C-alpha cells in the first residue's frame, strides 16, 4: 500500500496547489492522479473544505470497476468523468475547475483558438469545446457521459499535445503526466482563456498564425527534440 500512500500525497499536494492558484471558487474543483500499475486512481473527497483537507482524505478508486476502496469519505462527484478520461488518454493526472474565463468560454461554447505563441507553448492547436450533452446523457450517468464526451471530442485530436477541453455549458478539464502538471495546465488554460476573451473584445485575430510557427513553439518545449529551459528541468508554467 506504500505506493498508494505516495499517490494520495501527490494528489493532496496538487489539490492544495490548485486551491492556492486562485482557480477554485468555494469547493468547485478537484484533482486526481493515477497509479497505472496498481490500476488505482486517487481523488479529492466530495465537498470537503480545502482548509480541512488532509492527504489521508484522498479517496482511492479502482480504475477498472469504479468502486471506492476502503474509505469513509465519498469521492468527488466528478469521479466517473475522471475515470473515463484515464481509461482513454495516457495521462497521470486530471484537474477540473470552474475557473472564470475558461468557464465563460465553455458557457458560450467557444473554443480557445491557437492564435499565437503563448497558446502554442502548451497547446498544439485549438483547445476544443465539446458538443452539448443530450437529455438522455444528462438524466442517466451524467458524470460518466461527461467524461465520454471529452473522449469523443478527441477522436481526431491528440490528448498528449492538447491537454485540455472545455465542456459545453460547464467548464474546463485539463490533464498532464502527473497531478501537478495537470494543475499547471489548468493555470495556463485560464491565462489563455482570458487572452481569448480579450482578443475577441478587440475584434478578433486578423489571421491565424502559420502552422510552422505553432509547431516551432510547441515542439521546442515538448517531445523528443525539446530544447527550451535547462537540460535537467521540465518546462514550467
Ligand atoms: Zn464542474
Amino acid at each position: 500500500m506504500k505506493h498508494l500512500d505516495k499517490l494520495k500525497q501527490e494528489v493532496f499536494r496538487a489539490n492544495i496547489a490548485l486551491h492556492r492558484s486562485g482557480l477554485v471558487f468555494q469547493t468547485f474543483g478537484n484533482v486526481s492522479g493515477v497509479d497505472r500499475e496498481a490500476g488505482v486512481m486517487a481523488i479529492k473527497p466530495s465537498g470537503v473544505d480545502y482548509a480541512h483537507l488532509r492527504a489521508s482524505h484522498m479517496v482511492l478508486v479502482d480504475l477498472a470497476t469504479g468502486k471506492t476502496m476502503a474509505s469513509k469519505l465519498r469521492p468527488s462527484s466528478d469521479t466517473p468523468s475522471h475515470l473515463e478520461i484515464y481509461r482513454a488518454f495516457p495521462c497521470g493526472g486530471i484537474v477540473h475547475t470552474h475557473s472564470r474565463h475558461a468557464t465563460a468560454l465553455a458557457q458560450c461554447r467557444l473554443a480557445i483558438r491557437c492564435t499565437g505563441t503563448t497558446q502554442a507553448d502548451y497547446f498544439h492547436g485549438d483547445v476544443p469545446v465539446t458538443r452539448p450533452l443530450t437529455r438522455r446523457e444528462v438524466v442517466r450517468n451524467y458524470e460518466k457521459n461527461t467524461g465520454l464526451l471529452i473522449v469523443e471530442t478527441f477522436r481526431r485530436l491528440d490528448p498528449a499535445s492538447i491537454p485540455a477541453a472545455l465542456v459545453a455549458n460547464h467548464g474546463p478539464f485539463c490533464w498532464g503526466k502527473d497531478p501537478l502538471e495537470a494543475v499547471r495546465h489548468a493555470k495556463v488554460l485560464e491565462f489563455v482563456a482570458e487572452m481569448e476573451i480579450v482578443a475577441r473584445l478587440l475584434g478578433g485575430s486578423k489571421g491565424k498564425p502559420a502552422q510552422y510557427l505553432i509547431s516551432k513553439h510547441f515542439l521546442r518545449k515538448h517531445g523528443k527534440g525539446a530544447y527550451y529551459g535547462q537540460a535537467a528541468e521540465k518546462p514550467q508554467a
Side-chain angles (χ1 to χ4, degrees):
M1 287 298 268
K2 217 167 186 168
H3 52 297
L4 293 180
D5 284 341
K6 192 173 153 256
L7 177 66
K8 280 186 171 184
Q9 273 291 347
E10 225 182 9
V11 171
F12 168 66
R13 271 193 227 115
N15 271 288
I16 296 302
L18 181 69
H19 182 55
R20 290 194 181 135
S21 72
L23 299 183
V24 173
F25 174 66
Q26 298 196 345
T27 58
F28 290 120
N30 44 64
V31 187
S32 69
V34 75
D35 182 327
R36 294 278 177 189
E37 245 170 69
V40 173
M41 174 181 93
I43 191 164
K44 182 175 164 279
S46 181
V48 175
D49 201 88
Y50 282 93
H52 302 119
L53 208 57
R54 301 282 173 272
S56 59
H57 294 158
M58 299 303 111
V59 183
L60 298 175
V61 180
D62 186 296
L63 193 57
T65 64
K67 292 217 164 72
T68 301
M69 299 161 65
S71 171
K72 285 193 194 87
L73 294 168
R74 283 215 312 247
S76 160
S77 51
D78 294 318
T79 292
S81 312
H82 288 244
L83 286 172
E84 291 307 330
I85 297 170
Y86 283 125
R87 286 169 187 160
F89 298 170
C91 58
I94 298 172
V95 174
H96 172 51
T97 76
H98 287 198
S99 67
R100 183 174 296 154
H101 298 91
T103 301
L105 289 168
Q107 293 188 349
C108 296
R109 298 187 195 165
L110 293 169
I112 301 175
R113 297 163 303 174
C114 192
T115 43
T117 62
T118 319
Q119 294 91 333
D121 278 337
Y122 286 88
F123 305 104
H124 200 182
D126 298 355
V127 176
V129 63
T130 69
R131 63 168 173 81
L133 287 162
T134 64
R135 176 193 290 268
R136 182 193 283 258
E137 286 169 327
V138 172
V139 171
R140 273 198 84 221
N141 299 324
Y142 168 60
E143 292 83 3
K144 179 185 173 77
N145 288 331
T146 299
L148 289 173
L149 179 66
I150 293 170
V151 175
E152 175 197 303
T153 306
F154 275 76
R155 245 184 336 216
R156 280 180 214 86
L157 295 172
D158 173 20
S161 54
I162 303 176
L166 302 178
V167 176
N169 305 103
H170 185 168
F173 280 78
C174 302
W175 46 91
K177 67 177 186 326
D178 55 46
L180 273 178
E181 188 181 76
V183 172
R184 278 201 294 276
H185 289 163
K187 284 156 76 173
V188 177
L189 185 82
E190 177 59 12
F191 186 78
V192 296
E194 186 173 4
M195 282 171 49
E196 172 73 28
I197 292 169
V198 173
R200 283 178 181 274
L201 290 172
L202 293 173
S205 173
K206 294 291 174 234
K208 244 185 168 319
Q211 190 55 46
Y212 54 74
L213 179 65
I214 299 300
S215 291
K216 179 72 186 170
H217 269 263
F218 184 79
L219 297 174
R220 72 179 189 161
K221 272 196 163 187
H222 309 271
K224 268 195 215 136
Y227 59 87
Y228 180 90
Q230 301 307 311
E233 284 180 5
K234 299 174 204 109
Q236 294 284 321

